[in-house]
Every structure is written in C-alpha cells, then in structure tokens.
Amino acid sequence: MFSFLTPKHYIFLQAGLGNQLYMLAYANYLKEEGYTNIKMISLPQKNNQGDTKDRTKRSLLTELPKMLGIKFQYLSHRYVYSFLLRLPKLPLYKTLWSKIVKLDLEPAKEWAVFHPITSEELFNIHIGYYQACQYISEKFKQQVRDAIINIVPNNTTYTINKNDVAVHIRRGDFFTNGNENIYSRIEVSYYLRALALLSNKIKIEKVYIFSDDFKAILEDVDKIKELYSIELVEGQSVLEDFAMLQKFSNFAIGNSTFAWWGAMLAKSTNVIVPKTPWKIEMKDMTPYPENWILIENKKNTFNDESKLLSFSFNSLL
C-alpha cells in the first residue's frame, strides 16, 4: 500500500564492458545483502546494443541487467547526471535533502577498496566503479557466464588447449584523454616475466594475444614471438573476444578490467596480473581474487586529486 515509501537504489552504469560488469556485480551485492528496488541507470546512448567490432561502442551490457534480474533505465538527459553530482551543493542538502536522497559517491582514490553499505534513505544513488573483488559472488559469476552463452554465438575457429596462455595487452584509450595519468603502462617486459613464470608451471603450447590496438603493440608481439608460438586474436567482436577468454586456464594479463573478467569467469588455474595496475596509491585495495599471482610492473604515483576527480566522474559529462 505504501510501496512508494520503500527505499530505492540506483546504480549508475558507465564506461566499458569490464567496468560495467563491476557495477552490475555491485548491484547484485546489494540484492544479496537484502536491499530491494535496485535499478541500473545510464546516460542516453545511441549505439549500445548488440555485438559490435567498433571500439567506440563499449556499452555492451545494457541487455544484461534484465537477464540478471536487475531493472535498467536510461536517464532522460545527460545533464541529469551532472545534476546528481551537484546534489551535495544544494541548499539544505546536509540538513534536509540528504535524509531523502542519499548520494553514495565512491571516494575518488578508492575504486578498488571495499566499502560495505551501512545505511539507506528513500532514494539512494550509487556512483562509482566498485572494483573490489568482495562485491563479486560466485552466483553472480555463474549468471554472467550463462548470459554470455545466450548472447554470444559459439562460432570461434580457435581450438584452446589446457596449456595455452591468454595474453591481453591493452592500449587504445588507456593512454589518451588524460587516462595516461591513471593507468600504469604495462610493458612487454612484464608479459615476458609472466610467461617465464608460467613456463615453470606448465609446458606452454601456444600464446594467444588479445588487444584493443594491435598496431600499437607490433614490437611487443615480435618480442613474444621470439620465445613462444603465438596466435593473434584479430577480427572478432568485443563480445566474441570476451567469450573466448573464458575458455583458457592460464592468463598473463595487464590492467584491463575486460581481461580480468575473462579470467574471473574462466575455470582458470594460473592468472598473473600486475601488482600496480594504476598510478594511484590505494590503501587496502582488493581488485584481484586471492589466488591470482601478482608480479611487479613499473610503479608510478599520481597524487593530483583534482585531475583524478575530473577523470573519475566529470569526463562523461
């Protein structure tokens, strides 16, 4: 009778496929914690459906929330998002409006730090990346596996063996538009160390190389090719790459959440990842499952919080 008084939770869906999965995992985490009336919201977009090879059309999971039992809705206008970010600046927000509308804005330098929800108001708006592994349940991962099977046709021509290795080298938008101040550049030396470590565990048969920008990694590919039999995974759609990653047992991957999810959804035996995926120092960050192997990569720091805030939230406006 008074359902309009039941608290509601809105999680903002943003960025690419890997990040969107973290946000869906967070929404599912809220469900499993007993919170109800959960809905994903997104900026209006023209090209966000289907199976595409176009790297600029990265919002591929808008059809997944429904399959996972999570409601989905577009914001009416991009300025709505801008308004939501400015809620705390409204007159009387702290004393009055925050008791009705709670803006749960993830701390800018803590997107891989676990923050359990502690309270709720009538309207709760969650904006963040939620890349702490504690938000991800085994049930959610199985739901995503099932959904991907339904979405992506199994038409790959590759035959993956148990001693093959998936290498994912992310370039592209990681090093443009200010992102170069956020992401550590994962050099080929890291991948060679990772493959050497895997060579001590298994007899590597073939190394399959995935990338969003093969032109940018030609020299890296040549150096890996000197030591291992390789296969470049080119010409597939983003979702086909994503489904194929899940067929591997062994991974040497960089700092792409796209690749992380491929490894998390796979029946993986060995997953090697960079110890410092970002240039930002995060205390108590937990981006990886406990059984993954962390090795050193070039470490940098970035402490200009104003630029970080601009990257994290305002770049979408």
Side-chain angles (χ1 to χ4, degrees):
M1 182 175 180
F2 298 104
S3 59
F4 63 92
L5 294 177
T6 304
K8 298 174 176 59
H9 291 265
Y10 301 91
I11 298 93
F12 187 75
L13 191 66
Q14 58 181 315
L17 187 149
N19 283 326
Q20 291 177 23
L21 273 172
Y22 279 104
M23 294 158 203
L24 283 169
Y26 178 74
N28 186 74
Y29 161 79
L30 294 181
K31 284 180 60 178
E32 293 182 349
E33 288 293 302
Y35 296 97
T36 58
N37 290 327
I38 296 169
K39 181 179 290 187
M40 307 301 301
I41 56 175
S42 174
L43 293 173
Q45 299 175 28
K46 294 181 180 179
N47 299 306
N48 58 0
Q49 296 291 332
D51 196 9
T52 175
K53 294 181 174 64
D54 187 346
R55 291 200 309 271
T56 65
K57 302 173 185 176
R58 298 302 306 276
S59 183
L60 302 175
L61 293 186
T62 51
E63 58 195 289
L64 266 181
K66 183 178 180 180
M67 300 179 73
L68 299 174
I70 299 171
K71 296 179 181 179
F72 178 83
Q73 174 181 322
Y74 285 113
L75 294 176
S76 58
H77 198 282
R78 296 178 70 88
Y79 289 131
V80 176
Y81 176 67
S82 179
F83 171 76
L84 292 176
L85 291 179
R86 290 166 173 78
L87 274 177
K89 296 182 180 179
L90 289 178
L92 302 178
Y93 175 78
K94 290 184 179 180
T95 58
L96 176 61
W97 299 115
S98 63
K99 309 302 181 184
I100 302 172
V101 181
K102 178 186 177 184
L103 180 63
D104 187 3
L105 194 63
E106 185 180 56
K109 292 186 178 182
E110 298 183 8
W111 63 74
V113 178
F114 180 56
H115 293 285
I117 185 171
T118 56
S119 63
E120 64 177 343
E121 303 300 340
L122 185 58
F123 297 98
N124 303 270
I125 302 167
H126 306 262
I127 300 177
Y129 290 95
Y130 307 111
Q131 291 179 12
C133 64
Q134 291 93 331
Y135 296 124
I136 306 168
S137 70
E138 290 300 321
K139 181 180 178 181
F140 174 78
K141 288 193 287 187
Q142 188 56 52
Q143 287 176 311
V144 175
R145 292 186 191 105
D146 294 341
I148 293 297
I149 290 173
N150 291 330
I151 294 172
V152 185
N154 186 20
N155 59 2
T156 181
T157 59
Y158 300 100
T159 302
I160 311 302
N161 298 315
K162 67 176 182 178
N163 284 348
D164 291 338
V165 179
V167 167
H168 188 279
I169 306 177
R170 179 73 177 267
R171 290 293 183 262
D173 61 347
F174 264 26
F175 304 105
T176 59
N177 301 321
N179 291 348
E180 66 274 12
N181 295 320
I182 304 297
Y183 297 100
S184 299
R185 187 178 183 89
I186 311 300
E187 304 288 355
V188 68
S189 57
Y190 158 84
Y191 290 101
L192 292 175
R193 291 198 307 274
L195 289 168
L197 181 56
L198 285 172
S199 296
N200 293 329
K201 295 175 174 289
I202 61 172
K203 182 177 175 58
I204 296 177
E205 294 184 19
K206 185 177 287 188
V207 174
Y208 287 80
I209 301 178
F210 297 76
S211 181
D212 63 329
D213 191 350
F214 278 100
K215 290 182 180 179
I217 64 166
L218 291 176
E219 293 184 5
D220 296 358
V221 169
D222 286 341
K223 290 180 180 179
I224 296 173
K225 189 177 180 179
E226 291 177 4
L227 299 172
Y228 303 94
S229 173
I230 71 167
E231 184 83 36
L232 301 185
V233 183
E234 298 182 278
Q236 296 193 141
S237 70
V238 173
L239 285 179
E240 285 170 339
D241 277 2
F242 190 61
M244 184 175 167
L245 279 169
Q246 297 170 42
K247 299 180 183 295
F248 287 86
S249 299
N250 307 288
F251 294 83
I253 51 182
N255 51 356
S256 169
T257 57
F258 178 87
W260 295 357
W261 273 104
M264 275 192 285
L265 297 175
K267 295 180 179 179
S268 56
T269 303
N270 301 293
V271 181
I272 299 180
V273 287
K275 186 175 181 180
T276 311
W278 307 291
K279 294 180 180 180
I280 292 88
E281 296 281 356
M282 285 190 215
K283 184 180 179 181
D284 300 325
M285 72 174 189
T286 53
Y288 304 130
E290 291 183 356
N291 61 329
W292 286 12
I293 302 167
L294 281 61
I295 66 173
E296 290 288 348
N297 58 290
K298 186 176 180 180
K299 185 175 182 180
N300 296 297
T301 59
F302 181 65
N303 294 314
D304 189 337
E305 187 164 344
S306 64
K307 291 182 181 179
L308 180 58
L309 282 167
S310 176
F311 163 79
S312 298
F313 301 115
N314 297 332
S315 60
L316 294 176
L317 301 180

